[in-house]
């Protein structure tokens, strides 16, 4: 019997992985068998949901969040997902700190009990759309909800990706935010509008968006995004850096956000080993050095640590401009 359960569990886990969701046990016996495996080959990301440990560890936070949502949508077909959960499903760049709970529409009062894994928002899902059988709030409403619930730095990846990935217009989003002026506090409206004013579709990752927002907040806004240089060893190839600042006449400082994903994420590795990616990165940096521009590298930990990135930029000789006072500049 135990051997039969083992085979069935393996089959069920494999099927769940193919469908991009977690496993919901079809029987009490399978559930008990899965519970016994927790701490070993199986993980339980939410009560009643199970996944193979090796598979779960290969996923980033956003991918895990989407697998949980796809599973909950099967268990609760009448649920409509909203806020950061809907944004994640739609392909927006969402700061992972907002993906610790699942966001769902509710016709009753909103709820956010401490420690709860489901957060209910008092949002009318009348205009819900359906993606792969999952009900969620439409893109403009989703982006607007997120921007009104977060600050400038965490709102920037939402705004950037809403424009670049879904082709939404800045004006559309600003109009949607302004329509909420009577229902939200002025500060949230101002912050959302300012985030959209600074939004830029050229950002290639959520991390770059957050880093740029922090630079703007501290007075070190980059002069260029995705700054392009010709490869000095191959004139048919170009190289881009995430950021660039004009320090003096005809002098630049280049900036690169370092992340672990490009060395570990299988999709980003594109069949290469981590060692091969590291060597290619060193070669690229050597080619960039031919131009003589200083290259400043920093991590998301430095971006998120108060004052650390600003201190690094200042030490690198990048001019600090006047700090923005956007909350007083946006007219409602």
């Amino acid at each position: 019997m135990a051997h039969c359960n083992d085979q069935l569990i393996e089959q069920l886990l494999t099927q769940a992985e193919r469908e991009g969701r977690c496993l919901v046990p079809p029987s009490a016996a399978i559930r008990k068998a899965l519970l016994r495996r927790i701490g070993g080959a199986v993980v339980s990301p939410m009560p009643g949901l199970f996944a193979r440990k090796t598979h779960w560890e290969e996923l980033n936070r956003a991918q895990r969040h989407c697998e949980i949502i796809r599973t909950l949508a099967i268990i609760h077909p009448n649920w409509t997902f909203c806020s950061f959960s809907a944004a994640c499903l739609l392909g927006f760049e969402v700061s992972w700190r907002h993906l610790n709970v699942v966001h769902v529409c509710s016709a009753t009062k909103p709820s956010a009990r401490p420690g709860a894994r489901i957060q209910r928002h008092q949002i009318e899902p009348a205009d819900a759309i359906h993606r792969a059988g999952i009900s969620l709030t439409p893109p403009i409403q989703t982006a607007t909800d997120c921007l009104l619930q977060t600050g400038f730095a965490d709102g920037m990846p939402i705004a950037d990706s809403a424009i670049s990935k879904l082709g939404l217009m800045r004006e559309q989003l600003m109009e949607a935010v302004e329509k909420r002026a009577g229902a939200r506090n002025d500060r949230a409206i101002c912050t959302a509008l300012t985030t959209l004013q600074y939004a830029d579709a050229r950002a290639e990752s959520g991390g770059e968006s957050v880093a740029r927002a922090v630079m703007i907040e501290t007075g070190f806004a980059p002069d260029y995004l995705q700054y392009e240089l010709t490869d000095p060893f191959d004139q048919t190839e170009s190289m881009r850096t995430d950021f660039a600042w004009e320090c003096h006449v005809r002098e630049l400082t280049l900036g690169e956000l370092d992340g672990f994903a490009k060395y570990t994420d299988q999709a980003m590795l594109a069949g290469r080993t981590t060692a091969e990616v590291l060597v290619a990165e060193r070669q690229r940096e050597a080619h960039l050095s031919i131009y003589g521009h200083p290259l400043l590298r920093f991590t998301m930990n430095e971006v998120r640590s108060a004052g650390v990135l600003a201190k690094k930029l200042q030490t690198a000789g990048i001019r600090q401009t006047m700090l923005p006072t956007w909350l007083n500049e946006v007219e409602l």
Side-chain angles (χ1 to χ4, degrees):
M1 182 65 178
H3 178 66
C4 291
N5 274 350
D6 287 342
Q7 286 186 325
L8 179 56
I9 286 172
E10 287 301 308
Q11 291 171 2
L12 291 171
L13 287 169
T14 299
Q15 181 180 353
E17 289 169 11
R18 282 201 301 263
E19 296 175 4
R21 59 173 175 82
C22 301
L23 170 61
V24 179
S27 68
I30 296 296
R31 178 186 174 89
K32 288 179 181 178
L34 286 164
L35 287 171
R36 287 194 296 269
R37 288 164 171 75
I38 290 178
V42 171
V43 297
S44 178
M46 187 175 283
L49 275 58
F50 300 88
R52 203 190 316 265
K53 184 179 179 182
T54 52
H55 168 71
W56 200 249
E57 289 178 344
E58 290 176 352
L59 305 178
N60 63 37
R61 185 81 63 84
Q63 291 167 333
R64 292 177 182 180
H65 195 74
C66 287
E67 294 216 349
I68 290 171
I69 292 172
R70 293 187 193 106
T71 314
L72 291 175
I74 295 172
I75 301 172
H76 306 284
N78 295 326
W79 280 11
T80 295
F81 298 89
C82 62
S83 184
F84 301 109
S85 293
C88 199
L89 282 170
L90 287 167
F92 291 134
E93 295 286 346
V94 182
S95 292
W96 289 353
R97 64 173 75 191
H98 294 300
L99 300 179
N100 294 322
V101 298
V102 175
H103 301 267
V104 181
C105 292
S106 173
T108 59
K109 292 182 179 180
S111 68
R113 291 183 291 105
R117 300 298 302 274
I118 307 293
Q119 182 171 347
R120 301 181 186 279
H121 300 259
Q122 196 168 4
I123 295 174
E124 177 55 54
D127 297 324
I129 63 172
H130 290 80
R131 294 284 176 90
I134 302 172
S135 177
L136 61 154
T137 50
I140 292 179
Q141 180 181 350
T142 299
T144 305
D145 288 340
C146 292
L147 289 170
L148 291 171
Q149 293 169 44
T150 191
F152 183 69
D154 280 351
M156 192 61 74
I158 296 286
D160 286 351
S161 57
I163 296 170
S164 64
K165 291 188 175 182
L166 294 191
L168 299 178
M169 301 295 292
R170 186 196 313 268
E171 294 73 21
Q172 284 179 294
L173 294 167
M174 295 185 80
E175 182 180 352
V177 169
E178 288 167 347
K179 286 179 179 178
R180 305 280 192 94
R184 307 288 304 199
N185 69 62
D186 288 353
R187 188 177 183 87
I189 296 291
C190 287
T191 301
L193 290 175
T194 306
T195 304
L196 288 166
Q197 286 180 344
Y198 281 95
D200 196 310
R202 290 174 295 174
E204 293 189 340
S205 71
E208 287 181 25
S209 298
V210 173
R212 190 177 85 257
V214 171
M215 293 169 191
I216 293 168
E217 286 180 311
T218 54
F220 292 98
D223 295 302
Y224 305 99
L225 299 185
Q226 306 306 326
Y227 188 77
E228 191 169 296
L229 292 162
T230 301
D231 188 330
F233 296 102
D234 185 350
Q235 297 297 308
T236 65
E237 296 291 331
S238 61
M239 306 177 295
R240 289 187 300 171
T241 61
D242 299 333
F243 310 100
W245 294 264
E246 291 181 349
C247 295
H248 304 287
V249 177
R250 291 190 176 182
E251 289 189 17
L252 291 172
T253 293
L254 308 177
E256 289 271 283
L257 173 64
D258 278 331
F260 293 109
K262 60 185 174 183
Y263 306 119
T264 58
D265 187 287
Q266 292 303 313
M268 296 185 73
L269 286 171
R272 297 175 297 174
T273 65
T274 297
E276 288 171 333
V277 172
L278 284 167
V279 170
E281 185 70 19
R282 293 293 298 273
Q283 288 294 311
R284 174 179 171 275
E285 193 166 322
H287 291 198
L288 284 170
S289 70
I290 298 296
Y291 285 94
H293 302 311
L295 177 62
L296 180 66
R297 308 191 77 102
F298 47 89
T299 66
M300 277 307 296
N301 283 338
E302 291 174 317
V303 169
R304 291 291 192 185
S305 301
V308 173
L309 179 58
K311 180 66 175 176
K312 203 164 188 176
L313 294 169
Q314 188 176 44
T315 303
I318 295 168
R319 299 188 306 272
Q320 185 177 26
T321 58
M322 185 179 296
L323 297 178
T325 56
W326 54 71
L327 293 180
N328 298 319
E329 293 174 354
V330 179
E331 294 183 4
L332 297 179

